[in-house]
Amino acid sequence: MAGLSYVKLELACHYRLHGNVESLGVLSYRHAEGRKGRDAIILTFRDAKISVLEFDDSTHGLRIGSLHYFEGPEWQYLKRGREQFASGPSVRADPVGRCAGVLIYNSQLVLLKAAQVGYGLGDEDESLIMGGKLCAHVATSYIVSLRDLDMKHIKDFVFLHGYIEPVLVVLHEKDPTWAGRVAVRRHTCAITALSINTTLKQHPHIWSATNLPYDAYKLLAVPAPIGGVLVFCANSLHYHSQSGSCALGLNEFAVAPEGSAEYPRSKMSVELDCAHATWVANEVALISTKNGMLLFLNLVYEGRSVQRLELTKSKASVLTSCMCTIGENFFFLGSRLADSLLVQHTLGSASGRTSSLMVKAEREEGDIEADLSAPAAKRLKREPSEEEEGVSAEEMSLYYSTPTASDISQKKTFTFTVRDSLVNICPLRDFAYGLRSNADQSATGLGKQSNYELVACSGHGKNGSLSVLHQSIRPDLINKVALPGCSGIWTVYHKTDRDDSNEFDFGTSEDDEFHAYLIISLESRTMVLETGDTLGEVTENVEYYTEGNTIAAGNLFGRRFVVQVYQNGLRLLDGAKMLQELLITNSELENNSSEVANNLVIEAVIADPYMLLKMTDGSLQLVVGDVENTKLSIPQPQGFGITTDAITAFTLYQDKGPHQWLRRTCSEMNSDRSQWSSTSDQGYVYCIVCRISGRFEIYELPRMVCVYAVDNFNHGMSVLWDQKVLERRANSNAALKEGAEEDKAPGDALLRDAGLSLHVSQICFESWGEKFGRPFLLATLSDGTMLCYHAFSYDANESSDALEFRETATSLKDLSRLTHLRFARIPIDWVSGQEDGAKVLYETKFCSFKNVGSFPGVFVTGLRPTWLMVCRGRLRPHPQFCDGAILGFTPLHNVNCAHGFIYITAQGQLKICQLPSLLFYDNDWPVQKIPLRGTPHQITYHSDVNLYALIISTPVSRPTSQVLMGDGHPFDQQQENSIGEDGQRLVTSEDYEVRIIEPAQPGGNWEAKAAIKMHLTENALTVRIVSIKNITTDQTQTLLAIGTSYVQGEDVAAKGRIILVSVGKDPQDPGSWAREVYSKELKGSISAIASLQGHLLIAIGPKIILHSWNGSELNGAAFFDAPLYVVSLNIVKNFILFGDIHKSIYFLCWKEDGAQLTLLAKDFGSLDCYATEFLIDGSTLSLLVSDSRKNLQIFSYAPKSMESWKGQKLLSRAEFHLGAHVNKFHRLQMLPTPGSARSNRYAVLFGTLDGAIDYLAPLDELTFRRLHTLQRKLVDCVSHVAGVNPRAFRQFRCDGKAHRPGPDNIVDCELLSHYDMLPLDEQLEIARQIGTTRAHVLSNLRDLALSTSFL
């Protein structure tokens, strides 16, 4: 793989877990007798849950190998009386897969013994039949108490390389110390090596090392042939093995133990706390520091003895959270604070352009992430040939390294090339809800919601950025025209050069060809337009069929000719000239002229060189194009099997490309391919049909032979496979035969009993990419649900039933069956928006495209149009709300609209558009990242002037004389500019500013209009747009309020400053966008600001003071004493909700008459608040709070309830463990739906520090009871990934503190989404058991999705 120029990450499978993964490990497969096998994945969850997962080839997904659980009363003694632990269980695996270890409860080691061969669950044949390849598997597990081995305070552990038996090295601290006692006790850590014998359960001590620094925190095993272990400390590096040791001091704080020689010093000063490392060679480790610097650690050794450690600087990268090596030439930098990168490293000497960059890297101290204008999305959209040259900003921050002249003979030189990146938007500290740049001010309803976007604060430090998020896509409009009565549109190509040698080339050059004609089908005629520099109508000058509407249009014979399908036949055209007209007649009805006249074409699909037509009588007609004679003909006989079972949906699939993926899944790959006729050089073409009974069939053309069939396709089974394979399995295995009969039993009888008439109405079978890409199968059912499958090949040649099938399948018909083809169902976030039982006003259709905005995929038309973009081998659904229902769609590529598209709305508007180019679509929501080169903290939106105000901090190095000043006063300019004596130590501090940013206009960039600098040591804590009333003039002003705090150490009393700024373009000074109106110092940090009925409410330290504004001064009007420190303020009318940092929430009321802030109620519990918000459901007002333990709680004010202590106590209405910290809530009004009668209902949108976006919405009582009952049922009925229990995960976490459990009044839509993925028979049975119907459940879930279609 070293010579590859185009490498990217492809998604194999993905799952949403009901639990936070604490650590991940890989148990390698133990190779025996040359057999190949798969590794196993080990996941750990709090407090002591271990899941071992294996990849199942038969389902193309993960399955549980074993579960290990060490919680509950029988394992309570392992905690040794503790209830809370700083970290969860961590897993490490033996390099050759003999065992793995998991550290739980900080002192207990769980050893997982790997099985010798196979699974250890049965004989080898069974494992082959069930899963295909062998996998690593855990046979047994047991616990070793490290405290009994005299090891306490475990920091890390690792398995070593190169030993006959597994050897575990444990880093532990014997006598704990802390930073204040390092002068007395500094070297307190030690490492101990244990030999692990999992058979005898004996663990003898081999060797150990003591006197390691107290700040040692990490171990890294050195690969063979060197062996040993590296110990990472904050100020030093240590190597230890059974035969020797050495160390390297990294800075002046590295001190050797008493009586020992001084550590050799590194040539550069660096700190390694919070560092991560991996190996790029046997003796070279790559280290990523806490500030994103990449370092090389070279182990200079002779034989197996390491002589010394050498540390050299590479260059800056992203802020790394984890890293690992992939193969021999790649490593992955995973980041929580920036985009993750896949990097290729090449060993060898540098030359040419690389050498110059290396020299530049040596001279510069910083990185070159200055140009962040090219997002990762653009890099992913480039052609493979451009991939090497074009890299995004975060990729450009990876540098090359070169050794110095003296060390060039011993050091290895590496060249880095970023090959791929994964966009990341966490942590979401804060976000604002603002207007898009291409908003439509005349939009209403759901279209109005797509006018808005979320602008979130993401990243940290140099990777800080603004993330602009859209739930729906609003395309950039180029032109629009009113065209009522339009029913369909198509664009076609026309190659004028007959001698073009690349006419059958389906490579990337095909994307550059322009469309030639645009065909528009109206009610009674057809329009034809040329797509040149302008769209000009040429209907009168072409020989297209224009007297009626068009059914379909497309290209034949390598885009040289155009075929047009209309009601009575087809026309083959060479550009504007007609070559042939073929009228469609049915030979069976030739004697009845009236029936022939009424048997018209109603639907058609085209796949070069075939056309498949559906007639009004339900029959299908196949039309074949002859490449040599350029003629169309109807082959006889036409046969699609059963005639009584009507066909409801059909499509054609062209299996082209160098690999012909679908053809490779047939039962005999090595047979003589000349037996199968292929009428063109463009690969095999298959016909896919769905029948009214639910049968799914694939026919090979032109022989019309059924090569694949699945019964009850409309039931939505999790895995589809050929019916012939099922029948032969049933014949060879009695148990499987009974299971097959049970599966066949429901069928139509199940639908009849439930009163359902469920059939497939539309189907799409398509693949994207020439050399890779498995086909997707999309189908919509008559009830509005969508099925989505991804094809995969399961070759069970080694299993007995497959061998038997190959022996008995002697005919050509059996040999061509796609027996290895299977389909795995995947979830897709799409709802039709069509009410059950209502008349279908807008038909859902699939419109496939190869290149729209450099993305392939499918556009789903209908009432809720949606883009399904193919990114990394997965479908990314992105709805488009802005235009309502869409009737037709087609791609358009010409001079003035590069890789754009045209669509028709239900209002009769034809729009020519392009996708926004700066958005990154390989995300749950399309996102655009705007670099800041600093840490964003808080953001607010000024709707009047369409500007954002943002708090940003950037690190700055200063002499200590500027920072350590104890006079307690803010620093003036003279003190800021004073420089200490030469040689004075520099310390890093954060400089804060409030930046005023204007959103980009379409096609432009975001621009900073002004910056309000803070004083030295002054931190801006909050920024809000407030509307305050001038009591003198009785006018309301909208101002920007900034609250700050001076951070000068614990010896100086806290101070803050309130700043009021007028934002907008000043007519007197056009260059000024921000003007300070008022500024005043206050005693205490200003942590929160809000406006209350024209007054300004300010949280100053432990006080909340209400101020009135007279135009020049803020005067206190009322106050309330908070317990400790206010973290959030929320206002609804005259009600106030605030959260305290430790004392939960308080509910206040402002009374204008007496000028009083009155306490209505509070929560008497102890809660570390993160964010608060009001939750409004009609006339019901509830209080929402998130805490430090990742919980959500909803409280209510009920003074008439006896439990509320006469209204003094807030009552808990619901509680829910989210699993992530929430830093910001935002209240949005829910959209009306037919199933909801209330209008004044609000949902709360929130973002987490883990980068997730979610919402909390109120439900009707009946809907809640139905969904809550379903939720409890799904806990037991669904096989959960990794075996985690969703009910246990969502329980309120109190970490051992006293807590009275609240009511379980929140339903988890993450769990409810599994209902739609269940097979139909299970859906009906679960609905029956909970006393409802499937239609009611799906309707409730659809209404909830539609009512929360924000942004």
Side-chain angles (χ1 to χ4, degrees):
M1 296 180 70
L4 294 179
S5 61
Y6 180 63
V7 179
K8 71 172 185 176
L9 297 170
E10 284 287 325
L11 184 72
C13 56
H14 70 285
Y15 301 94
R16 294 180 177 178
L17 302 177
H18 297 285
N20 293 341
V21 177
E22 295 294 329
S23 64
L24 180 147
V26 176
L27 184 64
S28 302
Y29 177 74
R30 300 176 66 183
H31 299 278
E33 300 177 2
R35 290 178 172 175
K36 293 183 178 180
R38 296 190 183 277
D39 299 339
I41 300 174
I42 304 176
L43 303 180
T44 64
F45 305 88
R46 284 185 183 263
D47 286 325
K49 306 180 188 72
I50 306 168
S51 298
V52 183
L53 303 180
E54 306 161 356
F55 189 83
D56 187 353
D57 293 271
S58 63
T59 61
H60 203 75
L62 296 179
R63 65 159 176 239
I64 298 174
S66 59
L67 299 175
H68 307 264
Y69 182 78
F70 299 95
E71 299 177 16
E74 65 272 23
W75 301 104
Q76 191 70 26
Y77 71 96
L78 297 177
K79 295 185 177 182
R80 299 181 59 84
R82 294 185 61 178
E83 290 293 337
Q84 186 176 359
F85 296 91
S87 60
S90 58
V91 60
R92 303 288 187 273
D94 181 57
V96 293
R98 293 167 292 190
C99 65
V102 181
L103 182 67
I104 60 174
Y105 303 132
N106 290 354
S107 62
Q108 309 294 330
L109 183 67
V110 179
L111 286 176
L112 308 174
K113 179 183 178 182
Q116 294 295 324
V117 292
Y119 289 81
L121 297 177
D123 58 13
E124 198 168 300
D125 293 337
E126 179 185 352
S127 66
L128 284 168
I129 292 174
M130 297 301 295
K133 293 184 180 179
L134 295 170
C135 292
H137 184 74
V138 173
T140 59
S141 63
Y142 63 95
I143 291 181
V144 177
S145 176
L146 296 180
R147 293 183 67 91
D148 296 342
L149 300 177
D150 196 23
M151 286 183 279
K152 306 175 184 177
H153 311 291
I154 311 300
K155 293 189 172 185
D156 197 13
F157 66 103
V158 72
F159 285 90
L160 298 187
H161 296 259
Y163 284 84
I164 298 176
E165 284 193 342
V167 172
L168 180 71
V169 174
V170 181
L171 174 64
H172 55 101
E173 192 170 16
K174 291 187 174 182
D175 300 313
T177 186
W178 60 291
R181 284 184 56 82
V182 292
V184 179
R185 180 177 294 172
R186 188 182 190 94
H187 299 84
T188 57
C189 289
I191 57 173
T192 302
L194 304 175
S195 179
I196 306 298
N197 190 324
T198 55
T199 303
L200 301 177
K201 298 183 180 180
Q202 295 179 354
H203 318 100
H205 174 278
I206 301 180
W207 55 271
S208 62
T210 58
N211 287 334
L212 292 173
Y214 75 99
D215 51 13
Y217 65 96
K218 186 183 184 68
L219 297 177
L220 182 66
V222 181
I226 302 176
V229 64
L230 281 173
V231 183
F232 284 77
C233 308
N235 306 307
S236 59
L237 274 170
H238 301 259
Y239 169 81
H240 288 275
S241 68
Q242 197 167 359
S243 57
S245 63
C246 60
L248 179 67
L250 305 177
N251 52 49
E252 58 186 296
F253 299 106
V255 179
E258 293 184 5
S260 302
E262 288 293 326
Y263 294 149
R265 294 290 179 181
S266 172
K267 297 180 180 178
M268 59 180 179
S269 178
V270 67
E271 298 173 355
L272 280 192
D273 51 321
C274 304
H276 301 274
T278 189
W279 295 96
V280 292
N282 288 337
E283 73 280 6
V284 180
L286 182 67
I287 302 173
S288 177
T289 65
K290 60 183 178 182
N291 58 3
M293 182 68 66
L294 288 181
L295 307 173
F296 283 117
L297 178 65
N298 188 33
L299 278 63
V300 181
Y301 67 99
E302 293 181 3
R304 295 190 62 181
S305 175
V306 176
Q307 304 297 319
R308 67 181 186 276
L309 305 176
E310 293 182 352
L311 193 67
T312 57
K313 183 184 294 185
S314 178
K315 269 298 175 178
S317 174
V318 295
L319 300 177
T320 304
S321 302
C322 58
M323 59 192 305
C324 69
T325 302
I326 305 175
E328 297 180 355
N329 301 103
F330 295 89
F331 62 89
F332 183 76
L333 298 175
S335 177
R336 182 179 178 270
L337 303 172
D339 294 350
S340 300
L341 304 179
L342 175 68
V343 186
Q344 183 177 6
H345 60 88
T346 305
L347 177 63
S349 60
S351 61
R353 172 175 172 267
T354 303
S355 298
S356 63
L357 285 177
M358 288 183 174
V359 174
K360 182 179 180 181
E362 287 296 322
R363 290 198 307 262
E364 294 182 0
E365 291 299 325
D367 59 291
I368 53 173
E369 285 185 311
D371 181 16
L372 283 168
S373 59
K378 282 194 172 182
R379 185 191 53 76
L380 288 177
K381 292 186 287 186
R382 290 193 180 100
E383 301 298 335
S385 60
E386 297 177 276
E387 189 70 20
E388 259 188 302
E389 298 299 326
V391 288
S392 67
E394 289 185 346
E395 300 162 2
M396 288 296 291
S397 64
L398 279 171
Y399 280 72
Y400 306 93
S401 66
T402 183
T404 59
S406 59
D407 299 332
I408 195 166
S409 60
Q410 298 182 10
K411 289 186 182 178
K412 292 185 176 181
T413 305
F414 291 91
T415 303
F416 292 157
T417 308
V418 176
R419 293 303 185 188
D420 204 353
S421 64
L422 301 179
V423 168
N424 172 37
I425 63 171
C426 78
L428 293 180
R429 294 184 181 87
D430 192 20
F431 59 82
Y433 185 73
L435 201 65
R436 295 192 192 187
S437 59
N438 59 352
D440 182 8
Q441 301 296 339
S442 61
T444 58
L446 187 60
K448 186 177 181 180
Q449 289 296 322
S450 65
N451 280 342
Y452 297 92
E453 62 191 4
L454 279 188
V455 182
C457 299
S458 303
H460 181 82
K462 65 178 183 178
N463 298 126
S465 64
L466 286 181
S467 296
V468 184
L469 296 152
H470 306 153
Q471 184 180 3
S472 65
I473 292 177
R474 176 177 284 274
D476 292 335
L477 181 65
I478 297 177
N479 196 6
K480 68 177 180 178
V481 62
L483 205 63
C486 184
S487 59
I489 49 176
W490 301 267
T491 48
V492 293
Y493 298 95
H494 177 229
K495 285 192 175 182
T496 57
D497 186 4
R498 292 291 180 274
D499 298 325
D500 187 0
S501 60
N502 295 325
E503 61 188 10
F504 291 107
D505 180 19
F506 289 88
T508 56
S509 61
E510 192 177 63
D511 295 335
D512 298 328
E513 184 179 351
F514 289 156
H515 287 102
Y517 295 99
L518 170 65
I519 303 170
I520 304 175
S521 175
L522 303 177
E523 291 180 354
S524 59
R525 65 188 182 96
T526 295
M527 292 176 58
V528 181
L529 291 83
E530 262 188 340
T531 57
D533 295 341
T534 59
L535 292 180
E537 185 174 357
V538 293
T539 306
E540 304 297 332
N541 304 326
V542 296
E543 298 180 4
Y544 283 78
Y545 175 79
T546 59
E547 293 77 16
N549 63 338
T550 299
I551 305 299
N555 285 103
L556 289 183
F557 313 141
R559 295 184 175 179
R560 292 181 299 168
F561 300 97
V562 179
V563 62
Q564 180 191 18
V565 184
Y566 54 97
Q567 287 185 343
N568 296 320
L570 305 89
R571 287 192 181 185
L572 182 66
L573 303 104
D574 183 2
K577 182 182 178 181
M578 182 177 69
L579 298 180
Q580 180 189 3
E581 184 171 16
L582 181 65
L583 297 179
I584 302 298
T585 59
N586 194 324
S587 59
E588 298 177 2
L589 301 176
E590 284 181 355
N591 297 328
N592 192 330
S593 59
S594 63
E595 293 189 14
V596 171
N598 294 329
N599 195 29
L600 306 175
V601 180
I602 59 174
E603 193 176 350
V605 290
I606 302 170
D608 191 10
Y610 299 98
M611 290 133 284
L612 193 61
L613 316 178
K614 185 177 182 181
M615 315 303 290
T616 52
D617 63 354
S619 63
L620 294 185
Q621 289 279 355
L622 179 67
V623 180
V624 182
D626 188 347
V627 179
E628 296 180 358
N629 301 322
T630 62
K631 294 290 185 181
L632 303 179
S633 61
I634 302 177
Q636 297 292 340
Q638 298 257 350
F640 281 96
I642 314 166
T643 56
T644 58
D645 196 359
I647 294 174
T648 60
F650 65 97
T651 189
L652 294 177
Y653 172 69
Q654 196 171 28
D655 190 26
K656 62 182 180 181
H659 297 299
Q660 296 183 342
W661 188 93
L662 194 61
R663 191 66 182 176
R664 292 161 62 92
T665 62
C666 67
S667 57
E668 187 58 61
M669 280 295 301
N670 298 322
S671 60
D672 185 9
R673 289 204 169 195
S674 63
Q675 299 179 62
W676 296 294
S677 60
S678 179
T679 59
S680 73
D681 298 331
Q682 302 178 31
Y684 294 90
V685 178
Y686 294 90
C687 174
I688 295 93
V689 299
C690 291
R691 301 185 181 272
I692 192 73
S693 63
R695 184 176 175 86
F696 169 85
E697 296 173 337
I698 300 179
Y699 289 86
E700 182 189 332
L701 299 182
R703 295 190 303 121
M704 307 298 291
V705 175
C706 181
V707 295
Y708 193 84
V710 175
D711 287 334
N712 301 325
F713 170 71
N714 55 348
H715 288 194
M717 285 83 73
S718 58
V719 178
L720 305 178
W721 50 3
D722 188 18
Q723 197 66 29
K724 286 282 186 181
V725 177
L726 284 176
E727 292 172 1
R728 295 189 182 276
R729 274 182 175 272
N731 293 333
S732 61
N733 191 319
L736 289 174
K737 182 178 180 180
E738 295 175 2
E741 290 175 355
E742 292 176 2
D743 291 341
K744 265 179 100 176
D748 296 334
L750 181 66
L751 295 177
R752 286 195 300 269
D753 294 342
L756 292 176
S757 177
L758 204 61
H759 63 270
V760 177
S761 57
Q762 289 290 331
I763 192 168
C764 176
F765 194 89
E766 191 62 75
S767 64
W768 293 270
E770 300 107 40
K771 297 184 179 180
F772 49 83
R774 297 175 282 123
F776 285 94
L777 173 61
L778 299 167
T780 55
L781 304 183
S782 54
D783 66 344
T785 58
M786 181 184 288
L787 303 178
C788 182
Y789 288 90
H790 203 180
F792 68 95
S793 178
Y794 174 59
D795 187 1
N797 286 337
E798 299 179 17
S799 59
S800 57
D801 63 314
L803 292 172
E804 180 186 350
F805 181 83
R806 294 174 66 188
E807 292 172 0
T808 56
T810 55
S811 67
L812 178 63
K813 182 177 179 179
D814 284 339
L815 285 175
S816 61
R817 287 199 74 89
L818 307 177
T819 54
H820 299 159
L821 176 63
R822 293 191 182 184
F823 294 90
R825 189 176 176 188
I826 57 177
I828 187 162
D829 185 14
W830 181 85
V831 291
S832 65
Q834 188 76 33
E835 281 295 308
D836 289 332
K839 183 181 178 181
V840 179
L841 299 177
Y842 308 107
E843 188 178 3
T844 299
K845 294 182 180 179
F846 296 108
C847 303
S848 178
F849 56 88
K850 296 292 185 182
N851 186 351
V852 173
S854 301
F855 285 95
V858 176
F859 186 85
V860 185
T861 65
L863 189 60
R864 188 181 172 90
T866 303
W867 295 81
L868 302 179
M869 295 184 176
V870 180
C871 305
R872 304 186 189 281
R874 73 184 293 184
L875 287 178
R876 289 286 195 181
H878 299 307
Q880 181 174 321
F881 300 142
C882 58
D883 294 291
I886 291 179
L887 306 182
F889 171 93
T890 186
L892 174 65
H893 179 46
N894 69 356
V895 176
N896 299 317
C897 182
H899 300 298
F901 55 95
I902 304 176
Y903 62 90
I904 306 167
T905 68
Q907 292 76 28
Q909 293 280 343
L910 185 144
K911 297 189 176 183
I912 305 173
C913 303
Q914 287 179 309
L915 285 176
S917 59
L918 296 179
L919 288 179
F920 185 83
Y921 296 97
D922 187 14
N923 205 36
D924 289 331
W925 285 11
V927 60
Q928 176 189 357
K929 295 188 72 173
I930 300 154
L932 297 173
R933 306 296 297 170
T935 303
H937 295 276
Q938 204 171 90
I939 189 172
T940 188
Y941 177 65
H942 198 317
S943 59
D944 295 344
V945 292
N946 192 30
L947 294 174
Y948 291 90
L950 173 68
I951 298 177
I952 301 177
S953 67
T954 53
V956 177
S957 296
R958 286 193 175 90
T960 53
S961 60
Q962 291 188 11
V963 179
L964 302 178
M965 299 186 67
D967 54 5
H969 294 285
F971 298 96
D972 54 23
Q973 291 297 322
Q974 287 78 13
Q975 290 171 322
E976 257 189 74
N977 296 329
S978 61
I979 300 175
E981 298 177 359
D982 294 339
Q984 199 173 32
R985 186 190 305 278
L986 296 177
V987 294
T988 302
S989 61
E990 296 282 333
D991 272 6
Y992 280 77
E993 69 177 36
V994 175
R995 195 174 296 175
I996 309 299
I997 300 176
E998 182 182 29
Q1001 298 304 314
N1005 296 321
W1006 289 59
E1007 184 179 353
K1009 293 295 184 181
I1012 305 170
K1013 301 285 186 181
M1014 300 294 107
H1015 295 160
L1016 188 64
T1017 74
E1018 184 183 24
N1019 293 3
L1021 300 183
T1022 183
V1023 57
R1024 287 290 179 260
I1025 299 295
V1026 295
S1027 296
I1028 55 178
K1029 187 176 181 181
N1030 190 329
I1031 59 176
T1032 305
T1033 62
D1034 211 25
Q1035 293 181 347
T1036 301
Q1037 291 180 267
T1038 302
L1039 300 174
L1040 175 67
I1042 306 170
T1044 72
S1045 174
Y1046 290 100
V1047 181
Q1048 296 171 323
E1050 59 185 9
D1051 298 328
V1052 181
K1055 290 185 179 182
R1057 191 161 61 113
I1058 177 70
I1059 308 170
L1060 298 181
V1061 179
S1062 176
V1063 178
K1065 197 168 185 178
D1066 191 349
Q1068 300 177 356
D1069 185 7
S1072 175
W1073 287 77
R1075 180 174 56 87
E1076 185 176 300
V1077 177
Y1078 177 77
S1079 175
K1080 182 180 180 181
E1081 282 189 19
L1082 300 173
K1083 294 183 178 179
S1085 301
I1086 300 176
S1087 56
I1089 300 173
S1091 56
L1092 173 63
Q1093 296 183 344
H1095 302 278
L1096 188 62
L1097 192 65
I1098 306 175
I1100 310 171
K1103 283 184 180 293
I1104 296 178
I1105 302 178
L1106 188 71
H1107 293 81
S1108 59
W1109 171 249
N1110 62 8
S1112 60
E1113 189 70 27
L1114 286 175
N1115 300 310
F1119 73 95
F1120 181 83
D1121 285 327
L1124 296 173
Y1125 183 83
V1126 177
V1127 296
S1128 64
L1129 275 175
N1130 304 99
I1131 308 294
V1132 167
K1133 294 184 177 179
N1134 64 327
F1135 296 107
I1136 304 166
L1137 168 66
F1138 76 84
D1140 189 81
I1141 194 169
H1142 287 307
K1143 297 297 181 180
S1144 195
I1145 60 174
Y1146 285 68
F1147 187 41
L1148 311 179
C1149 177
W1150 159 245
K1151 296 180 180 179
E1152 185 81 32
D1153 297 337
Q1156 290 182 347
L1157 289 175
T1158 306
L1159 175 65
L1160 297 179
K1162 66 176 182 177
D1163 177 28
F1164 285 84
S1166 177
L1167 200 68
D1168 300 343
C1169 295
Y1170 266 49
T1172 57
E1173 185 54 274
F1174 285 104
L1175 190 61
I1176 300 174
D1177 182 16
S1179 59
T1180 304
L1181 185 67
S1182 303
L1183 316 176
L1184 176 64
V1185 59
S1186 65
D1187 62 23
S1188 61
R1189 303 186 191 105
K1190 305 179 181 181
N1191 301 310
L1192 295 181
Q1193 277 185 285
I1194 299 176
F1195 292 91
S1196 65
Y1197 175 59
K1200 296 181 181 180
S1201 174
M1202 295 184 60
E1203 296 180 353
S1204 66
W1205 302 347
K1206 296 183 179 181
Q1208 300 180 55
K1209 180 181 178 182
L1210 292 173
L1211 300 181
S1212 176
R1213 287 187 56 195
E1215 56 188 24
F1216 186 79
H1217 180 69
L1218 190 64
H1221 290 118
V1222 177
N1223 221 31
K1224 174 65 180 289
F1225 291 113
H1226 186 81
R1227 192 171 62 249
L1228 294 172
Q1229 187 168 10
M1230 298 176 66
L1231 301 176
T1233 59
S1236 176
R1238 297 189 183 181
S1239 58
N1240 188 29
R1241 172 171 281 183
Y1242 288 79
V1244 173
L1245 189 75
F1246 58 88
T1248 71
L1249 295 183
D1250 291 339
I1253 299 175
D1254 212 332
Y1255 61 83
L1256 190 69
L1259 291 174
D1260 296 323
E1261 181 69 19
L1262 181 61
T1263 303
F1264 167 76
R1265 291 189 180 277
R1266 180 182 294 127
L1267 296 183
H1268 190 260
T1269 308
L1270 174 64
Q1271 174 179 273
R1272 288 186 296 181
K1273 193 68 180 176
L1274 289 177
V1275 172
D1276 301 323
C1277 295
V1278 175
S1279 177
H1280 302 291
V1281 181
V1284 287
N1285 189 335
R1287 186 176 179 182
F1289 175 62
R1290 296 306 185 186
Q1291 287 183 345
F1292 188 88
R1293 301 291 174 90
C1294 57
D1295 292 338
K1297 296 184 179 180
H1299 174 73
R1300 182 181 179 182
D1304 184 15
N1305 286 341
I1306 295 182
V1307 294
D1308 182 12
C1309 288
E1310 196 76 44
L1311 177 58
L1312 294 178
S1313 64
H1314 289 286
Y1315 181 78
D1316 190 45
M1317 291 295 295
L1318 293 174
L1320 179 63
D1321 54 341
E1322 295 184 26
Q1323 291 184 16
L1324 296 174
E1325 178 61 23
I1326 290 176
R1328 185 192 63 81
Q1329 291 179 3
I1330 65 176
T1332 186
T1333 63
R1334 171 179 176 271
H1336 279 132
V1337 173
L1338 295 181
S1339 177
N1340 292 150
L1341 295 176
R1342 180 177 57 250
D1343 287 345
L1344 187 58
L1346 293 175
S1347 63
T1348 55
S1349 298
F1350 309 121
L1351 306 171

